[in-house]
Amino acid sequence: MDLMPGMPEASAPRFGSFILTFNRPTQLRETIRALIAQTVPPELVVVIDNGDNEETTSVIREFGDARLEYCATGENLGSAGGVAFGMRLLLDRGCEWIHSVDDDDPPLTPDTVERLRALIERNDDGRLGVVAAVGSRWDWTTGEQRRLRDDELTGDVPVDIVGGGQQLTVCRRVLEEIGTPDPEFFFGHYDPIWCLLVAKAGYRLMVDGELMYRNREIANRVGVTVHRAKLPRQPYDAIWRRYYVTRNYVYAMRQMFDRPDLARRETAKSLVRTVASWGHGPRYGARFSLLQLRGVVDGYRGRLGRTVIPWADPKQPSTPRR
């Protein structure tokens, strides 16, 4: 582990952040800038490097900020492994609350960290486990997330799920009791699965309703309703992502939550997606179908880890993937 010196080890920050990055120095620079410029910035910020781009360390040195540290994972652990790595690191540093940031998802408001910390202070009764800028509810009947209505976003709002890039912030007691997200999921749906485990252990997850509404305003998502009827076309070089989502969902519902009915439901939906994928052309349909089938099979077999290597379409501009 290559840890740049920053904050003294003896000082245990109450609120620490880590930024997970993968070969995106330009986005990383902007995210660091947004985080350390918060109205109430974190006491510690560690960049967790999942990649191998030499510019990453140069970006960090540009800031010359004693709160900013760097740690390389040594290999691409995927988003699940990288988040688990960052959580463990800040847990070892003594942080009471650990804030997770993606390198391309900086806080959208200048007071995000301040509002998260205020949310903690208002609600920390020993069973508050997670706070975030954005969250959703979970419907165990359908096995799907339910979007909160705009008019529900007032005050402190309980949620069930916090996804990647939504400023997930976890209390150390949760990590000490149930652990981090499982690194073996590698990528895709690991964060909702972990949040459901947090709730199952009796912890509460909450968002600041006004902060979440402001995030929707900035993203131009106020008034948006979710329609799932039409399968959006992912870029060809992103099809691998759907494999991990399907695999991890099927595995979790069968093995972790004793809901084989939801695993079967996901299998049926994957077949619908497969048929629809051929509408994007034979090359796309063939690749999508292969990975959907493999995702279902591996989910039932319990074959986890980095089983499909992220790739870029040679006919398209190369895009870093996590």
Side-chain angles (χ1 to χ4, degrees), residues 16-241:
S17 302
F18 69 88
I19 304 171
L20 181 62
T21 189
F22 182 83
N23 296 348
R24 290 191 281 210
T26 300
Q27 291 94 326
L28 174 63
R29 180 182 292 108
E30 296 306 311
T31 297
I32 293 174
R33 184 174 290 120
L35 191 54
I36 64 177
Q38 289 283 296
T39 53
V40 178
E43 297 146 56
L44 170 67
V45 179
V46 181
V47 174
I48 305 296
D49 189 359
N50 238 354
D52 54 7
N53 190 312
E54 294 180 359
E55 290 184 48
T56 300
T57 54
S58 299
V59 167
I60 296 166
R61 290 192 177 97
E62 290 175 13
F63 288 89
D65 193 311
R67 294 166 298 181
L68 188 59
E69 299 181 359
Y70 169 84
C71 186
T73 62
E75 61 177 311
N76 183 6
L77 303 177
S79 50
V83 166
F85 186 100
M87 286 181 174
R88 286 194 300 268
L89 179 62
L90 267 65
L91 186 66
D92 290 343
R93 291 297 299 273
C95 294
E96 289 298 320
W97 286 88
I98 297 168
H99 174 222
S100 169
V101 183
D102 285 348
D103 60 4
D104 59 346
D105 284 307
L108 294 185
T109 73
D111 63 347
T112 292
V113 171
E114 180 179 1
R115 298 191 71 137
L116 291 177
R117 296 186 72 158
L119 178 62
I120 291 168
E121 293 301 318
R122 291 194 299 271
N123 294 279
D124 193 4
D125 59 356
R127 299 312 294 174
L128 180 67
V130 168
V131 298
V134 177
S136 60
R137 299 274 166 74
W138 181 261
D139 186 339
W140 278 108
T141 302
T142 63
E144 296 179 350
Q145 297 180 47
R146 180 179 71 78
R147 186 180 192 269
L148 288 159
R149 300 188 315 272
D150 293 339
D151 61 9
E152 294 180 90
L153 301 181
T154 59
D156 299 342
V157 182
V159 296
D160 302 313
I161 297 296
V162 176
Q166 296 178 344
Q167 312 299 311
L168 183 147
T169 307
V170 58
C171 183
R172 69 177 295 114
R173 58 179 167 258
V174 171
L175 299 178
E176 290 170 343
E177 181 175 338
I178 71 171
T180 68
D182 189 344
E184 286 297 294
F185 284 129
F186 185 70
F187 178 94
H189 210 71
Y190 70 92
D191 29 15
I193 292 168
W194 182 76
C195 286
L196 292 174
L197 291 175
V198 172
K200 185 178 179 182
Y203 288 99
R204 293 181 296 125
L205 298 84
M206 301 195 76
V207 299
D208 176 324
E210 285 75 19
L211 176 60
M212 183 167 166
Y213 189 88
R214 180 58 183 145
N215 272 252
R216 284 188 181 175
E217 286 183 322
I218 294 170
N220 197 27
R221 299 283 295 173
V222 174
V224 172
T225 56
V226 178
H227 297 285
R228 303 177 182 273
K230 185 177 180 180
L231 177 73
R233 186 189 189 280
Q234 291 178 306
Y236 182 83
D237 66 345
I239 295 174
W240 62 269
R241 294 172 173 240

Side-chain angles (χ1 to χ4, degrees), residues 6-13 66 69 93:
M7 196 169 183
E9 290 289 338
S11 178
E69 299 181 359
R93 291 297 299 273

